[in-house]
Amino acid sequence: MCDINATINLPPGFKFLPTDEELVLHFLYRKASLLPCNPNIIPDLDLNFHAPWQLNGKALCSGNKWYFFSQISGDRETENGYWKQIENIEEPIFTTAGKKIGVKKYLVFFIGEAPVGVETNWIMQEYHLCNYGFSTKPHKRKGNRKILENCKWVLCRVYEREGNFPSFCNYGDHVEDDDDEDNGTELSGLDEMYLSLDDDLADISLPN
């Protein structure tokens, strides 16, 4: 598993600009399956103890975005407020080979107690592995390692929108994604890593 004491600051001049596919395959999948995280730069955090403005110095920061692993609990409440999921907003994540490997959910941070808090501009993109896409059978080449509790681990990307926006929760089925790097970006170097995980990903299934 990733060491929570890993260095989370990138060297000067480096930016962490992964695509959705890279976040799920290279980081979240490896986290859930107990494979080595390389580079080991995304820490584990408990959402219940961190408001979004408290992430600096604790989560991996790149530009105006913060990345961390967390485990899903019954709620996402903090001392200052709570994260509310935007209903009916869930984006599928596919590999370049067309296999569905995860989903991305959107949440907005509210200050105060649920359900009457004040909406803020803090947004969280929460990455999940497909519950049906990864088997808990032993891997063929990984010494009987299993994907443990894969549905509980999520990878979070948090950012603050700038300017005045209409209520995010009233967007219906349209989401303004602040992460422009993910839109239409092809992977660089992921194909080689994907091939090396052929046996690990053999249990990924396509939805009907």
Side-chain angles (χ1 to χ4, degrees):
M1 296 176 64
C2 292
D3 182 359
I4 60 174
N5 296 315
T7 300
I8 59 175
N9 294 317
L10 297 175
F14 282 79
K15 289 186 178 180
F16 187 64
L17 299 174
T19 63
D20 288 348
E21 181 181 356
E22 288 170 326
L23 284 174
V24 172
L25 269 186
H26 191 76
F27 293 97
L28 181 56
Y29 173 78
R30 299 182 74 86
K31 175 74 171 178
S33 57
L34 304 182
L35 294 169
C37 297
N38 185 25
N40 183 13
I41 57 175
I42 301 181
D44 302 345
L45 292 179
D46 190 333
L47 273 177
N48 295 333
F49 292 98
H50 297 89
W53 53 85
Q54 297 174 327
L55 294 175
N56 214 20
K58 299 175 182 177
L60 169 64
C61 179
S62 183
N64 63 345
K65 300 180 179 67
W66 287 265
Y67 299 81
F68 57 93
F69 291 113
S70 191
Q71 287 193 316
I72 300 175
S73 59
D75 53 48
R76 298 173 178 83
E77 296 182 356
T78 74
E79 182 180 349
N80 310 92
Y82 59 96
W83 290 99
K84 178 180 179 180
Q85 183 175 337
I86 304 174
E87 296 181 1
N88 303 320
I89 302 294
E90 186 173 295
E91 297 181 9
I93 301 171
F94 297 92
T95 68
T96 51
K99 295 181 179 179
K100 184 177 178 180
I101 53 173
V103 294
K104 179 168 65 173
K105 301 180 180 181
Y106 288 80
L107 299 93
V108 179
F109 191 77
F110 285 74
I111 296 175
E113 296 185 2
V116 292
V118 178
E119 182 178 346
T120 72
N121 280 346
W122 286 99
I123 308 300
M124 180 164 65
Q125 297 169 340
E126 197 176 69
Y127 292 82
H128 298 246
L129 292 173
C130 292
N131 294 341
Y132 51 80
F134 292 85
S135 169
T136 55
K137 295 186 298 182
H139 292 293
K140 297 177 182 178
R141 295 193 306 175
K142 299 299 179 181
N144 290 335
R145 280 197 289 260
K146 297 180 180 180
I147 300 177
L148 301 176
E149 299 180 329
N150 66 71
C151 61
K152 294 183 178 180
W153 280 112
V154 294
L155 197 161
C156 303
R157 172 163 54 196
V158 174
Y159 60 91
E160 185 178 17
R161 294 181 298 162
E162 297 180 356
N164 295 321
F165 291 86
S167 172
F168 207 117
C169 294
N170 294 331
Y171 275 13
D173 52 11
H174 171 71
V175 172
E176 177 104 9
D177 192 345
D178 185 62
D179 184 29
D180 294 334
E181 295 87 9
D182 286 352
N183 297 330
T185 302
E186 292 187 2
L187 297 177
S188 57
L190 188 61
D191 288 343
E192 182 178 346
M193 192 256 333
Y194 183 75
L195 291 174
S196 70
L197 291 177
D198 248 356
D199 286 344
D200 297 335
L201 302 177
D203 292 321
I204 296 179
S205 61
L206 283 169
N208 293 327

